[in-house]
Amino acid sequence: MATVLEQSNTNTLELIPQAFEAQKDYFTTRGPSSFSERIQTLKKLESWIVNHKEQIREALFSDFKKPHLETDITEILPVLQEVKHVKKSLRKWMRPSRVPTPITMLGSKAEVIYEPKGVTLIIAPWNYPFQLLVGPLISALAAGNTAVLKPSEMTPATARLISNMAREVFDPQEVVVFEGAVEVSEALLALPFDHIFFTGSPAVGKIVMRAAAEHLTSVTLELGGKSPVVLDETTLVKDAAEKLMWGKYLNNGQTCIAPDYALVPEKMVEPLVTAMQDSLKKHLDPEGEGIKNTGNYARIVNDRHYQRLTGALQEAVAAGAKVVVGGETDDQENYLSPTVVVDAPEDISLLNDEIFGPILPIRTYKEIDDAIDYINKKPKPLALYYFGKENQRKRRLLSRTSSGGVVSNDVILHFAHAELPFGGVNNSGIGKAHGKWGFMAFSNEKGTLHQNRNFSMAKMTYPPYSNRLRKMMDTMMKYL
Ligand code: NAD
């Protein structure tokens, strides 16, 4: 079987059910792996990553000219950090947790056992194509599962590298990769996996959830949406401009938690825009050679997304919006410079669809409740950002809006915090990832009660039902 499965790291659709069955057999026969087996597996993965840093950088550069150092910061470091955190904490997470005994359960003991779900499927997007596949894989392996991996077809060099990684590090009965596009996803989604971990758009998330419903497979959906930024009079403008621009040019704005639009008091727009221009000059074009030529700025992943983004910008300008920062394009390279837009009317794509690129529209507001209403009219975002130090206003903003995560006075960094759950809410996602939460997503929390032999409090309630039992029940219901 291993030879057949080794071939399955190609696009062969027919091998998908076979690979699934092989993992199922392996998982069922072996049973849950021990702590030391999981640590060994994670160490193998970790050392492959450490020894292939250059290949990872090259794959990402080939896919969308991602600068090597940006690959280190956003693809390699996060997964190495995740493995390290898991290795340190796994023994504690795996340990069954004892729970207190309520009076009605006297004589028994109870615990929660974290068992692996079994054969799992991980489907990844293209925007952080290495870490968004390897990160969930670390959680799946930590929780003792096997995994079938489906990288994105839009970043083929990274997909190929991930296939090689799986071949070199794992037995295919443990981890196997299927490269390809929608037809591969569809073939995989037809199978009764024990858990599906999907990262991608809300539209495809719905397709995944529908397919999972057929088998009542549990899902983690890491989706996207429009993540707002709220500034107020207490914002340090230069600091906010610098951080917001970073959130927009990192990975060319192709980040699920990139600031999508900014809500700003009217009188702050001008100084903010000036500070944004200064910040771009300082960080992306210090020598004045043009952002395009610096090698510090990735490209839009493909023509389709380039056309989508430049089309949205043209639509905005035609509808009366003003480009106040950037707006330079180069069709030959899928290059769009970091761009800021003001005065955009409400009914255009930039203010309704997830931007997922280096464009930031700024909208003005008067009272904080207007900003809250505006945010609440849209689906719940993946992240919400507040810049300022007005605690009451911040608390109001946080308590009156719902989002997957929140950062105040920065952007994106909650993703990198090992102790925080990461994920969305409703339209921006279901379930959480990273660290302990990733481990839990891939585990079944099995409530386990250990009763004594020849004893049970419940025996007192067995029929025949008597007046004595009636009195006892009345007392219990009164005092419990
Ligand atoms: P996508 O939904 O188009 O694709 C994601 C994966 O699903 C790919 O592997 C793709 O091959 C597969 N797929 C595409 N169409 C499918 C279909 N009809 N049936 C089954 N599978 C299908 O997303 P994308 O363009 O790769 O990524 C961008 C989206 O992902 C954005 O919305 C972004 O916000 C979101 N995202 C979310 C997170 C997060 O952690 N929450 C991280 C990164 C990206």
Side-chain angles (χ1 to χ4, degrees), residues 124-127 132 150 153 185 199-201 204 222-224 256 354:
W126 56 265
N127 63 325
L132 289 177
K150 213 298 273 169
E153 69 282 13
S185 276
T199 308
S201 59
V204 179
E222 295 282 340
L223 310 177
C256 55
E354 181 181 4

Side-chain angles (χ1 to χ4, degrees), residues 418-434:
E419 303 289 345
L420 283 176
F422 181 82
V425 51
N426 297 138
N427 196 67
S428 54
I430 293 176
K432 301 288 169 187
H434 295 182

Side-chain angles (χ1 to χ4, degrees), residues 318-332:
K322 287 199 231 31
V323 175
V324 288
V325 176
E328 296 98 34
T329 57
D330 182 344
D331 301 4
Q332 299 304 309

Side-chain angles (χ1 to χ4, degrees), residues 15-24 27 116-123 140 145-150 172-178 184-198 208 211-220 442:
L15 290 177
I16 288 177
Q18 232 174 312
F20 173 82
E21 284 308 326
Q23 289 208 352
K24 194 100 200 156
F27 181 81
K117 285 190 172 169
V119 182
T120 64
L121 171 63
I122 300 172
I123 301 180
N145 300 276
T146 70
V148 177
L149 313 179
K150 213 298 273 169
Q173 290 161 330
E174 199 174 11
V175 176
V176 70
V177 178
F178 283 96
V184 172
S185 276
E186 283 170 350
L188 289 164
L189 288 171
L191 296 167
F193 280 94
D194 297 306
H195 187 71
I196 299 173
F197 190 106
F198 169 81
V208 170
E214 273 308 306
H215 304 290
L216 294 177
T217 295
S218 55
V219 289
T220 304
F442 284 96

Side-chain angles (χ1 to χ4, degrees), residues 282-394:
K282 178 177 165 195
H283 295 287
L284 281 191
D285 193 18
E287 309 294 332
E289 57 193 314
I291 293 173
K292 196 171 84 169
N293 305 314
T294 60
N296 290 330
Y297 185 58
R299 296 295 186 259
I300 311 291
V301 71
N302 57 23
D303 288 350
R304 179 161 71 82
H305 279 283
Y306 175 76
Q307 296 302 340
R308 176 182 66 77
L309 284 160
T310 48
L313 196 55
Q314 281 156 10
E315 182 200 17
V317 172
K322 287 199 231 31
V323 175
V324 288
V325 176
E328 296 98 34
T329 57
D330 182 344
D331 301 4
Q332 299 304 309
E333 288 196 29
N334 290 344
Y335 168 80
L336 169 58
S337 64
T339 299
V340 180
V341 163
V342 296
D343 298 337
E346 189 48 44
D347 58 345
I348 57 168
S349 152
L350 275 189
L351 289 175
N352 290 285
D353 305 326
E354 181 181 4
I355 295 175
F356 217 58
I359 308 172
L360 181 78
I362 296 178
R363 277 188 65 86
T364 56
Y365 74 91
K366 285 198 169 58
E367 302 294 331
I368 191 66
D369 280 356
D370 301 335
I372 290 170
D373 287 347
Y374 185 81
I375 294 166
N376 285 339
K377 282 197 182 108
K378 298 190 185 299
K380 294 176 190 171
L382 188 54
L384 180 138
Y385 303 117
Y386 167 73
F387 281 82
K389 63 165 191 159
E390 225 286 14
N391 260 334
Q392 215 183 337
R393 198 174 296 151
K394 174 164 117 184

